[in-house]
Structure formats: structure tokens, C-alpha cells
Amino acid sequence: MKNLFRLLIILLVILLLATVLWWFFGRGNSNALWQIVSQQCVPNQQKNHGPAPCLKVDLAEGYVLFKDSKGSYHDLVMPTEKVSGIESSILQTAQARPYFALAWNNREHISTEIGKPLKDAWVSLAVNSKYGRSQNQLHIHVACLRQDVYYALGEQAQKIDQQWRPLSVKLVGHQYLARKLVGTDLTKEDPFQLLRHYVVDQGDNISNYGLALTVSPQGEMLLLANRLKLTDLNLGSAGEIQDYQCGLAGN
């Protein structure tokens, strides 16, 4: 029994070490997305009135829509200004743009790619924590939910209220917090601000958290957040609840 326990400890240490090594050496060029936005999409829009290689560049609203190469049905919404990620102080100012609202308003492009309308409850938005992302430019993942997550949230939706509380079930093997929004206006209820208020009350740091938006079968908007926890191999990557192949649509 002692040997088995010792082996488990050794395996855990190896996994944690591998995670740390990936963070420092395995992420590649962490400015790749910002370089695409600032050196290609925005200049092309300004000079040639074309967004390529982005799908869309909205200079007035300050964001781009970009087709991610990872997965068939997976878009990114990113600021046209330099915003590092969920931890950026820019997102906590009164002048912060409603990036979640902008991303949600562009969800229809996934439907266009798939070639059929998608229920809002099938679609999700996700931002990973500072430690669970590979890029240092804020990017909101727009994609379908994983089927298992969709069904789990459907069963839990009636238990979720307008306070951050732990879900009674794990999603993708990890513990999540959840809360409902009062309405469906993401400019009035900005997800970044709502998570920040909770994190500050907890004496924590928002950089440790991933954040996601989904819709219940009843049409209520739900926020999900998962916190960095290395012992659970959880880096706060909320994007893990998404399915870039959109199995819910029968693909």
C-alpha cells in the first residue's frame, strides 16, 4: 500500500512538472494573435477596406472576428487594441467595451459555417485563464457546447440562481461555479465585471479563472467559471467545455 501511495505521489509530481514546463516552453509564440490583428487585419481594413485574414474588422466597435484553425466550427472575437486577457485592468474600467456582447452578436457565423441554424442553447463563449491559454491577446472562443456539458447544464439549470455557486456536478472532470444573469443584455451585465466582483469578495485574483457563457434550455443566460487548481490538472481553461466539431448539430 505504501509503495502504491508513493507511486501515485510520483505520478502527480510528474504531471505537475509537465504542466509547468508546458507553460514556460510549450506555448509557442504567445503574441501570434495580436500580430495577426495589429499587423494584418486592422491595416488591411484601414487601407484596402477588407478584413483579411480576419472575417470581419469593426473599427468603430473595436473588435475583429477571426476563424480559428483549431476545429471546423470555431471563431474568435478579439479587441483591436492590446488587451492581454481576462486579467487586464482595461476590462474593469467604465470605458471597457462589451466584448462578450460583441462576441455573442457574432455567433451566427458558426451557423453559416455549419449550414443550418443553431439553437442558442447549443452555442457558447469562453475565455481561458492567464495560465490556461497560449496567447496574450484577449480572445473569446465562439463555438458549440460539448454534448455532455449541454445535457449536464440542462439538468442543473433549475438549480442555478443569480449568485455564484459551485455546480453540484463536474464538467469535463472539473469543478465550476455558475450563476444566472438577470436578463440577456450583456452590455448591462458584463460577464468580466460580474466575475471580478465575486473574485474580489473572495480575496482572489481573476487571472486564475476561466469564464464562459451559455444559455439554458429555458433561454436564460448562464455564466460558468473554473479556477486554476493544479492538483486537479485544471488550468482554468473554460474552453474545455466547447466542441469545435459541433456534435449537437449532428456533425
Side-chain angles (χ1 to χ4, degrees), residues 18 233 245:
L233 300 181
Q245 302 302 325

Side-chain angles (χ1 to χ4, degrees), residues 64-78:
V64 306
L65 178 67
F66 180 70
K67 166 87 175 154
D68 195 289
S69 60
K70 297 178 182 177
S72 301
Y73 311 116
H74 177 203
D75 296 337
L76 302 177
V77 168
M78 298 179 282

Side-chain angles (χ1 to χ4, degrees), residues 54-251:
C54 289
L55 299 168
K56 178 180 181 181
V57 175
D58 190 322
L59 297 175
E61 294 291 343
Y63 76 93
V64 306
L65 178 67
F66 180 70
K67 166 87 175 154
D68 195 289
S69 60
K70 297 178 182 177
S72 301
Y73 311 116
H74 177 203
D75 296 337
L76 302 177
V77 168
M78 298 179 282
T80 54
E81 65 176 323
K82 187 72 180 79
V83 182
S84 61
I86 194 169
E87 76 285 356
S88 174
S89 59
I90 294 173
L91 299 176
Q92 308 306 329
T93 65
Q95 294 76 34
R97 295 184 185 273
Y99 292 114
F100 262 89
L102 296 170
W104 186 249
N105 291 340
N106 279 274
R107 68 193 182 281
E108 292 299 329
H109 184 259
I110 298 292
S111 297
T112 301
E113 291 180 317
I114 294 175
K116 64 179 75 172
L118 297 178
K119 297 178 181 179
D120 281 349
W122 292 354
V123 183
S124 61
L125 308 178
V127 175
N128 295 328
S129 78
K130 181 179 180 179
Y131 310 102
R133 67 177 190 239
S134 62
Q135 293 292 305
N136 289 329
Q137 173 66 3
L138 177 68
H139 52 289
I140 300 179
H141 298 264
V142 186
C144 293
L145 275 175
R146 285 173 47 133
Q147 294 185 62
D148 57 334
V149 172
Y150 170 77
Y151 292 120
L153 290 176
E155 294 174 354
Q156 294 292 309
Q158 297 299 325
K159 304 175 185 178
I160 300 172
D161 60 20
Q162 293 169 8
Q163 299 294 322
W164 287 105
R165 304 185 196 279
L167 281 175
S168 60
V169 298
K170 290 186 176 182
L171 303 179
V172 201
H174 294 146
Q175 182 65 63
Y176 276 77
L177 298 166
R179 63 157 291 169
K180 286 180 182 176
L181 298 185
V182 175
T184 58
D185 188 339
L186 295 171
T187 61
K188 293 181 178 178
E189 295 180 277
D190 183 83
F192 289 121
Q193 297 282 357
L194 293 174
L195 180 59
R196 176 181 173 274
H197 294 323
Y198 169 82
V199 169
V200 169
D201 288 344
Q202 298 298 309
D204 205 343
N205 193 313
I206 198 170
S207 64
N208 294 321
Y209 289 79
L211 178 61
L213 172 78
T214 68
V215 176
S216 75
Q218 294 75 34
E220 299 168 304
M221 284 192 162
L222 309 177
L223 294 183
L224 303 171
N226 64 330
R227 191 193 186 282
L228 171 77
K229 189 176 182 181
L230 291 180
T231 54
D232 284 350
L233 300 181
N234 179 4
L235 295 178
S237 296
E240 68 184 5
I241 69 171
Q242 295 180 314
D243 172 15
Y244 301 155
Q245 302 302 325
C246 200
L248 284 168
N251 294 294

Side-chain angles (χ1 to χ4, degrees), residues 2-20:
K2 289 184 177 179
N3 289 337
L4 178 59
F5 181 73
R6 188 177 295 114
L7 177 60
L8 291 174
I9 293 298
I10 291 172
L11 289 174
L12 179 60
V13 170
I14 291 173
L15 287 172
L16 292 177
L17 180 60
T19 299
V20 172

